[in-house]
Amino acid sequence: MAEWDLTSRMGQYLDRHLVFPLLEFLSVKELYDEKQMLKGKLDLLSNTNMVDFAMDVHKNLYPDKDVPQTLKDKRTDVVSQLKYLQSETEIITKIFEDPEVIRQVQSSRDGRQLFEFLSKEFGFQSKMIDTLYNFAKFQYECGNYSGAAEYLYFVRVLLLSTDKNFLDALWGKLASEILMQNWETALDDLTKLKEIIDGNTFGSALQNLQQRTWLIHWSLFVFFNHPKGRDLIIDMFLYQPLYLNAIQTTCPHILRYLTTAVITNKSRRRVVLKDLVKVIQQESYTYKDPITEFVECLYVNFDFDGAQQKLRECEEVLVNDFFLVACLEDFIENARLLIFETFCRIHECISIRMLAEKLNMTEEEAERWIVNLIRNARLDAKIDSKLGHVVMGTQAISPYQQVIEKTKTLAFKSQMLAMNIEKKLGLKTDTTTNTWGPE
């Protein structure tokens, strides 16, 4: 199933440390030759300070060869530099261990005011922030993500938003929390970074587009692990025009993840499916896979046999996707429900025998499945046991939900109008590079 693997596309927009979990997952799935995977890991490690890890990978890749002298020399250099940076930051870390400083940092809303307090009480200097930032980045490159996150927290509080390291510190903090799987904190950091990017305080329209593209990819780690993630991914990717525009412009493959989030979202699926279908149709010439094609078969072509075939392919895609493997059961269950609802809505009533064929079930399994759906109040339908038919009812959308979604639609149209006006004004763009994030 390497045909549908998106790792090479995703890696373009991820920090190299965030690529390691994806490679480990692919190794377990055995989608690629193991030697090629090890070479890929070694290449990624070449620009980090995780020398011991690189040595282990080299031994696995070339068991009959000695570890290269270059790696041994690099290890010596890394240890030496680490000791130097530790001595440079020792006085700074002691300041931040003071109980009063901790209290001030936690309660402070103004970085400048906090800096003045530290300067007055502890002789803190602005160059110490840069020293702390450099040490945090070095710790991150060594794979010490907890240390990096701790120091970057202080850096982020003290730095002005105009500082050259401010944005990189936010990216580094987010990456560290993701790699430690601190999903609640990672979501907070993701939200802060999004606010800064959306504030458009640092560059051109093209720079903003690049930053949003990176944020979209990094957010997948958070959204597919946080309890509220499937709602958040719909709100951000489908109903915020700047992010939908980024997906359509630079990374239409993200539609796989948006589609999965919609299909597995039981509370909002009915309301947002129509908007999702429009986007999938618009982008079908640039990207498609079994997951997006399943929706197209069902809601555009009303091809139920095609949808059934695509559902089988979806299972293979999901089980081999790092972000989606945990969604497999939810996706299959909800996709079957969508086939069932759509088929019954078109035909008003349907024989259980025919339904069982469409869902690839026995008649007994199909009837039990429908009974459970009705019993759990997830389906408005009745079973006529004598005739062996299922008759669908109508499910009205809550008026409150209608108001919410229509408001989102109005906001969407307003932002699209503003974007069109900006385009007509002829905004100039140039390129940028995130020194912490993707290279």
Side-chain angles (χ1 to χ4, degrees):
M1 274 305 296
E3 177 188 0
W4 302 112
D5 177 43
L6 294 176
T7 304
S8 59
R9 291 198 199 185
M10 307 286 283
Q12 301 174 51
Y13 307 104
L14 297 174
D15 179 90
R16 63 181 61 245
H17 290 255
L18 295 177
V19 178
F20 285 122
L22 276 65
L23 294 185
E24 292 294 340
F25 176 81
L26 291 179
S27 292
V28 172
K29 292 296 178 180
E30 299 180 345
L31 292 182
Y32 298 98
D33 177 71
E34 183 59 22
K35 283 192 175 181
Q36 293 300 319
M37 295 299 300
L38 289 171
K39 286 180 181 178
K41 291 178 186 177
L42 200 57
D43 183 55
L44 277 177
L45 289 165
S46 63
N47 289 321
T48 73
N49 294 329
M50 295 190 289
V51 189
D52 290 340
F53 187 12
M55 287 179 172
D56 290 339
V57 172
H58 188 278
K59 288 176 184 176
N60 289 332
L61 183 58
Y62 307 108
D64 299 329
K65 295 183 180 180
D66 293 332
V67 173
Q69 187 61 40
T70 52
L71 280 178
K72 295 178 181 178
D73 293 341
K74 184 175 181 179
R75 189 182 191 283
T76 303
D77 292 341
V78 167
V79 171
S80 175
Q81 194 174 356
L82 178 61
K83 289 180 179 178
Y84 170 76
L85 289 170
Q86 284 175 333
S87 64
E88 285 284 296
T89 55
E90 186 176 3
I91 186 172
I92 305 173
T93 53
K94 284 184 177 179
I95 291 173
F96 286 111
E97 288 170 359
D98 185 280
E100 178 59 22
V101 173
I102 293 173
R103 191 187 68 80
Q104 288 284 342
V105 169
Q106 291 175 343
S107 61
S108 177
R109 294 290 181 269
D110 184 352
R112 178 51 56 187
Q113 186 178 357
L114 177 62
F115 178 84
E116 290 175 357
F117 164 77
L118 293 173
S119 177
K120 180 180 178 181
E121 298 295 329
F122 298 92
F124 195 85
Q125 301 175 25
S126 58
K127 65 180 181 180
M128 290 181 173
I129 305 176
D130 291 335
T131 302
L132 196 61
Y133 170 83
N134 291 331
F135 186 46
K137 187 166 177 60
F138 190 85
Q139 291 276 21
Y140 179 85
E141 292 300 340
C142 289
N144 181 11
Y145 306 121
S146 60
E150 181 182 357
Y151 299 133
L152 286 172
Y153 173 78
F154 296 123
V155 170
R156 189 184 66 189
V157 172
L158 288 167
L159 276 182
L160 296 174
S161 60
T162 53
D163 191 279
K164 60 183 176 62
N165 290 329
F166 179 73
L167 196 61
D168 286 347
L170 294 180
W171 282 106
K173 178 68 163 56
L174 173 59
S176 299
E177 298 297 349
I178 287 172
L179 289 162
M180 290 190 294
Q181 300 183 27
N182 293 334
W183 304 122
E184 201 65 51
T185 307
L187 180 59
D188 290 339
D189 289 342
L190 180 71
T191 303
K192 290 185 179 74
L193 186 54
K194 182 177 178 296
E195 289 172 356
I196 296 297
I197 293 172
D198 292 348
N200 191 22
T201 60
F202 55 85
S204 66
L206 182 57
Q207 288 174 323
N208 292 335
L209 174 63
Q210 291 174 325
Q211 295 284 334
R212 289 192 181 96
T213 303
W214 294 332
L215 192 68
I216 286 166
H217 286 79
W218 292 36
S219 71
L220 296 178
F221 288 94
V222 183
F223 289 154
F224 283 103
N225 285 284
H226 193 280
K228 298 179 181 178
R230 296 181 197 182
D231 278 326
L232 295 172
I233 199 171
I234 294 170
D235 290 337
M236 180 172 163
F237 292 3
L238 188 59
Y239 289 116
Q240 294 189 29
L242 291 172
Y243 288 89
L244 179 57
N245 178 63
I247 291 170
Q248 293 175 312
T249 304
T250 60
C251 52
H253 55 270
I254 293 295
L255 288 177
R256 171 186 295 185
Y257 303 99
L258 174 58
T259 303
T260 303
V262 170
I263 289 175
T264 56
N265 190 305
K266 298 172 185 177
S267 60
R268 299 176 60 189
R269 183 175 58 231
R270 290 175 177 278
V271 180
V272 303
L273 261 171
K274 185 185 296 184
D275 297 322
L276 174 67
V277 170
K278 288 178 183 177
V279 175
I280 288 175
Q281 281 186 278
Q282 289 170 1
E283 300 306 316
S284 62
Y285 68 97
T286 58
Y287 178 78
K288 57 175 61 180
D289 65 24
I291 292 176
T292 61
E293 287 178 315
F294 168 78
V295 172
E296 212 167 4
C297 282
L298 195 57
Y299 290 100
V300 179
N301 304 323
F302 299 102
D303 177 3
F304 296 98
D305 292 332
Q308 182 184 353
Q309 175 60 35
K310 290 300 173 185
L311 184 56
R312 282 195 287 267
E313 294 177 15
C314 286
E315 187 170 351
E316 295 182 25
V317 172
L318 289 159
V319 80
N320 289 299
D321 190 297
F322 173 83
F323 296 103
L324 303 181
V325 64
C327 302
L328 178 60
E329 290 186 10
D330 274 356
F331 185 95
I332 299 301
E333 179 186 352
N334 285 286
R336 278 180 170 172
L337 181 58
L338 292 176
I339 293 174
F340 173 64
E341 288 179 340
T342 307
F343 198 86
C344 288
R345 191 174 296 117
I346 291 172
H347 296 85
E348 295 185 1
C349 71
I350 180 176
S351 73
I352 294 176
R353 177 182 298 176
M354 186 181 295
L355 178 63
E357 290 175 3
K358 297 297 179 188
L359 298 177
N360 197 25
M361 295 170 137
T362 65
E363 288 186 47
E364 292 77 12
E365 287 174 337
E367 187 168 354
R368 281 199 302 271
W369 184 67
I370 298 164
V371 168
N372 286 332
L373 289 175
I374 296 171
R375 183 181 297 149
N376 296 329
R378 290 175 52 197
L379 186 67
D380 182 11
K382 295 179 180 179
I383 295 179
D384 187 330
S385 299
K386 290 183 180 180
L387 296 176
H389 285 173
V390 179
V391 182
M392 286 288 290
T394 57
Q395 293 191 352
I397 300 172
S398 158
Y400 305 105
Q401 191 63 40
Q402 290 182 48
V403 170
I404 291 170
E405 298 304 332
K406 284 184 178 180
T407 303
K408 286 181 180 177
T409 303
L410 287 172
F412 176 90
K413 290 179 179 177
S414 300
Q415 291 184 46
M416 288 301 290
L417 181 60
M419 286 170 62
N420 288 333
I421 293 171
E422 288 178 356
K423 286 180 181 177
K424 288 181 180 179
L425 291 175
L427 289 177
K428 294 181 180 180
T429 61
D430 52 36
T431 58
T432 188
T433 304
N434 183 344
T435 57
W436 194 293
E439 297 174 0

